[in-house]
Amino acid sequence: MVKFTEQERDVVRAVWEKVDVDEIGPEALIRVLITYPWTERYFGKFGDLFSISAVSTNAKLAEHGKVVLRSLGRAVEDMDNIKKTYAELSRLHCEKIHVDPDNFRLLADCITITIACKLKSTFNSNVQATWQKFLTAVVEAMTSQYN
Amino acid sequence: MLSKKEKELIIEIWEKLTPVAADIGSDALLRMFASYPGTKTYFSHLDISARSRHLLFHGKKIVQAITEGAKDISQLTVTLAPLQTLHAYQLRIDPTNFKLFSHCMLVALACHMGDDFTAVAHAAMDKFLSAFAAVLAEKYR
């Protein structure tokens, strides 16, 4: 299990405090679908995702983005038990939704870039490194139940 | 591949960044060193601390090469031929690192451009940087 220093915890919490879940969630997911269009395979029930404007304005997708980011908040709250926190979600993605786990990394990258657009210069190289260490732990946890 | 619109967007972004090429390039490098410490091994002969002369110089060189490549994306293999040889035979940098750098460049652009780095710009830039990295790795084996 990944260990975080007190300083790293502070950095992650400071980033999270500045994150508006309802804004970053939809925006990050929109970026995933526009940048990696093959990810649309997982959103067949979401209706029209056939163009950039359709992706950008799809209400179901925006709502799901909020759900995803709210779930990320659970990891911020309990950074010592990330693997346990996502065990069930990991199983769900493996057994029921059949999501290729590499997509968790793509989503993590898009979350980072979306946050960078908002925080601008405060999201410096050290903050980015710590934030990504945290997201990597979440991605690993989401992959942990695949077998 | 990239649409006409995406190509124009890429050119526009890089041309606008030309005056701050050293800042953007060095920031992207610094981000890569902080997030992926293994990448520092290729720069052990240089001073890679924040805002160092080496870092700014090298950052600028990278951004200039990317900007040059952006001008005619269909000709990347021609434009990058000297850099292909340099990376494959002299520097011998494991091409996996190009992906790490591309990601850090995207974050550097996001921090610099803020909301102007839209989802569309992000997608176009991601595509362009992967194409750039793929061409750069072509001569390896």
Side-chain angles (χ1 to χ4, degrees), chain B residues 18-38:
Chain B
T18 301
V20 288
D23 296 324
I24 298 289
S26 60
D27 185 38
L29 282 169
L30 198 64
R31 287 173 186 280
M32 179 176 74
F33 299 147
S35 289
Y36 312 104

Side-chain angles (χ1 to χ4, degrees), chain B residues 80-130:
Chain B
L80 297 186
L83 283 179
Q84 284 180 327
T85 314
L86 180 72
H87 282 80
Y89 304 129
Q90 274 180 271
L91 301 174
R92 291 187 290 254
I93 292 173
D94 185 326
T96 320
N97 292 298
F98 300 154
K99 283 204 182 97
L100 305 179
F101 181 73
S102 294
H103 170 67
C104 289
M105 179 54 88
L106 293 177
V107 178
L109 291 173
C111 286
H112 185 80
M113 294 170 62
D115 288 333
D116 289 340
F117 195 61
T118 61
V120 172
H122 170 180
M125 194 57 80
D126 186 274
K127 257 203 255 186
F128 168 61
L129 291 177
S130 342

Side-chain angles (χ1 to χ4, degrees), chain A residues 31 34-36 52 109-110 112-113 116-118 120 123-126 128-129 132, chain B residues 30-31 34-36 103-104 106-107 110-111 114-115 117-120 122-123 126:
Chain A
R31 280 174 190 257
I34 293 179
T35 310
Y36 314 108
I52 290 173
D109 283 353
C110 285
T112 298
I113 290 167
C117 285
K118 302 295 168 203
K120 300 181 95 170
F123 197 70
N124 63 34
S125 55
N126 292 326
Q128 181 194 338
Q132 287 182 174
Chain B
L30 198 64
R31 287 173 186 280
S35 289
Y36 312 104
H103 170 67
C104 289
L106 293 177
V107 178
C111 286
D115 288 333
F117 195 61
T118 61
V120 172
H122 170 180
D126 186 274

Side-chain angles (χ1 to χ4, degrees), chain A:
Chain A
M1 196 66 214
V2 192
K3 291 264 183 283
F4 295 95
T5 65
E6 272 316 308
Q7 204 188 352
E8 286 172 335
R9 289 166 205 267
D10 287 344
V11 170
V12 170
R13 278 193 287 260
V15 169
W16 188 249
E17 268 172 26
K18 292 181 201 125
V19 166
D20 177 353
V21 168
D22 293 344
E23 185 190 13
I24 302 288
E27 175 74 19
L29 201 54
I30 286 167
R31 280 174 190 257
V32 170
L33 270 88
I34 293 179
T35 310
Y36 314 108
W38 54 93
T39 54
E40 281 166 30
R41 67 173 288 129
Y42 303 114
F43 301 98
K45 290 181 184 154
F46 280 44
D48 183 8
L49 293 169
F50 300 121
S51 66
I52 290 173
S53 63
V55 168
S56 309
T57 53
N58 187 298
K60 281 184 183 161
L61 191 71
E63 202 44 53
H64 190 64
K66 293 177 194 174
V67 171
V68 170
L69 223 65
R70 240 173 262 142
S71 167
L72 186 60
R74 292 165 59 203
V76 181
E77 278 164 28
D78 192 359
M79 288 176 67
D80 293 316
N81 291 299
I82 294 179
K83 193 173 168 188
K84 203 172 138 218
T85 302
Y86 292 108
E88 206 184 314
L89 262 184
S90 175
R91 258 193 302 276
L92 177 76
H93 281 76
C94 171
E95 292 163 14
K96 292 262 167 60
I97 338 182
H98 307 296
V99 174
D100 177 344
D102 193 48
N103 290 293
F104 304 141
R105 185 183 57 81
L106 299 180
L107 174 63
D109 283 353
C110 285
I111 290 174
T112 298
I113 290 167
T114 310
I115 290 176
C117 285
K118 302 295 168 203
L119 302 191
K120 300 181 95 170
S121 60
T122 40
F123 197 70
N124 63 34
S125 55
N126 292 326
V127 174
Q128 181 194 338
T130 304
W131 175 254
Q132 287 182 174
K133 178 180 171 180
F134 164 69
L135 280 190
T136 304
V138 175
V139 168
E140 267 173 31
M142 281 299 293
T143 311
S144 69
Q145 301 301 315
Y146 278 68
N147 52 40

